[in-house]
Amino acid sequence: MAATKTTWQVFAHIEKDGRWAEYDDVATLYSPDGVPTAQQVLDVQLTEIIRQHPHLRNGDITGSATRIN
């Protein structure tokens, strides 16, 4: 079975103690399990932000993911 390709507009922002990081761009995903939910897409991006900026763990989160196609 081929992976499903979807494209999303993703905005993810985490802020803690006056420091922040965000992602605001289009993301193309390939999923072997069909189309992911918007929450799954957002969760993946938030996890990546925390991986790159561990000092923001447990910060305030704002975000959305909207499927383009």
Side-chain angles (χ1 to χ4, degrees):
M1 180 176 168
T4 301
K5 176 184 172 185
T6 55
T7 306
W8 299 79
Q9 177 63 49
V10 182
F11 173 75
H13 179 95
I14 303 175
E15 185 171 347
K16 182 177 180 184
D17 299 329
R19 298 169 75 185
W20 59 273
E22 74 179 20
Y23 178 89
D24 188 7
D25 205 350
V26 173
T28 299
L29 304 175
Y30 295 87
S31 173
D33 302 321
V35 177
T37 66
Q39 187 61 54
Q40 288 171 322
V41 172
L42 181 58
D43 289 347
V44 167
Q45 191 56 53
L46 292 169
T47 298
E48 184 62 23
I49 290 173
I50 294 295
R51 187 185 70 73
Q52 293 178 22
H53 305 280
H55 60 279
L56 296 175
R57 186 176 310 278
N58 298 321
D60 294 324
I61 295 172
T62 306
S64 63
T66 305
R67 185 174 174 191
I68 298 171
N69 73 4

